[in-house]
Amino acid sequence: MITYRQQQLDALGDVTRRTLLEKLRSGALPVGELAKNLPVSRPAVSQHLRVLKQARLVQDEAVGTRRYYKLDPRGFAALRSYLDRFWSEALEAFKAKVEEE
Amino acid sequence: MITYRQQQLDALGDVTRRTLLEKLRSGALPVGELAKNLPVSRPAVSQHLRVLKQARLVQDEAVGTRRYYKLDPRGFAALRSYLDRFWSEALEAFKAKVEEE
DNA sequence: GCTTACCGTTAGTGATTACTTACCGACAGC
DNA sequence: GCTGTCGGTAAGTAATCACTAACGGTAAGC
């Protein structure tokens, strides 16, 4: 099973992309709506959406001439479980360290 | 309460910094140990550690001439709770959308 | 058919960011 | 005291990355 974790964390490392994800929290939105009130041009938004899509953080669906984007549950689930595992392993290592002494 | 989320996610957006965090999962390590087997120089590691520290993702402690770095529980807890909240809000919005129809 | 709205892609540019090299201070061992 | 180890900082460079402008393609409205 391949993960997209590296791409996902890279994708989250940009403030504009994070803003896009925040906007999508309340549901699917077309590109034009996403680009509204952003300090960057619409093509820039398209490029960011491509990165987010490749990282499995968003999904898109064409409806007429519009293209709706929404959060991708698979990507977020993978990210959450990784973070959980990462942290619980760190805690176990810490406990083992304490008991060692 | 101020959070360091923006800095944290920016900090996670670099492969070398993520590698450093992975190494720290098993416990505290001095800089020289962290720099070992990495494709970048030791000063580069120091600079990355500074970024991680400012983002509250690591803590450091001087012991003699060495400086040990370890994961910062506060930063990771904040990050986890944010991701959890983010995702649960997204799920609620999705449910509301479904019931709407 | 024509026109308009919506959006992806490409090419080139600008800004950000990670990197190395050189340097310096602090502590340990002698 | 001197020497070696450890590691942070600064300056300059290289590479990455985000951005805009220009273009083209598709669907909807007329």
Side-chain angles (χ1 to χ4, degrees):
Chain A
M1 166 199 176
I2 52 165
T3 69
Y4 298 88
R5 195 186 322 130
Q6 300 293 328
Q7 299 176 49
Q8 289 178 337
L9 291 171
D10 278 335
L12 289 176
D14 180 90
V15 79
T16 304
R17 284 195 287 266
R18 291 197 293 269
T19 306
L20 291 174
L21 293 176
E22 292 279 352
K23 287 196 176 196
L24 291 177
R25 225 176 11 172
S26 51
L29 287 174
V31 177
E33 202 65 33
L34 284 168
K36 205 174 283 179
N37 298 329
L38 279 191
V40 298
S41 67
R42 186 196 49 73
V45 172
S46 274
Q47 292 168 6
H48 283 305
L49 288 170
R50 175 168 48 181
V51 173
L52 290 171
K53 184 180 172 184
Q54 285 171 347
R56 302 297 193 277
L57 288 173
V58 300
Q59 295 173 331
D60 60 338
E61 179 191 7
V63 177
T65 169
R66 311 200 169 177
R67 185 164 287 267
Y68 283 85
Y69 283 86
K70 63 170 181 175
L71 301 180
D72 188 335
R74 300 171 302 168
F76 275 90
L79 203 54
R80 254 179 23 127
S81 78
Y82 171 71
L83 190 56
D84 282 355
R85 246 180 316 117
F86 181 92
W87 187 240
S88 69
E89 282 185 29
L91 285 182
E92 278 181 33
F94 179 72
K95 276 187 195 168
K97 221 56 160 191
V98 169
E99 289 169 5
E100 210 174 79
E101 293 160 8
Chain B
M1 166 199 176
I2 52 166
T3 70
Y4 298 88
R5 195 187 325 128
Q6 300 293 329
Q7 298 175 49
Q8 289 179 338
L9 291 172
D10 278 335
L12 289 175
D14 179 89
V15 152
T16 304
R17 283 195 288 266
R18 291 197 292 270
T19 306
L20 291 174
L21 293 176
E22 291 279 352
K23 288 196 177 198
L24 291 177
R25 223 174 14 170
S26 50
L29 287 174
V31 178
E33 203 65 33
L34 284 168
K36 205 174 283 180
N37 298 330
L38 279 190
V40 298
S41 67
R42 186 195 49 74
V45 171
S46 274
Q47 292 168 5
H48 282 306
L49 287 170
R50 175 167 50 183
V51 173
L52 289 171
K53 184 180 173 183
Q54 285 171 348
R56 302 295 193 277
L57 288 173
V58 300
Q59 295 173 332
D60 60 339
E61 179 191 6
V63 177
T65 168
R66 311 203 169 174
R67 186 164 285 268
Y68 283 85
Y69 282 86
K70 64 170 182 175
L71 301 180
D72 188 335
R74 301 171 301 169
F76 275 91
L79 203 53
R80 256 180 21 129
S81 80
Y82 171 71
L83 190 57
D84 282 354
R85 248 181 313 117
F86 181 94
W87 188 241
S88 70
E89 282 184 30
L91 284 183
E92 279 182 32
F94 179 72
K95 276 187 195 168
K97 220 60 160 189
V98 170
E99 289 168 4
E100 212 174 76
E101 292 159 8

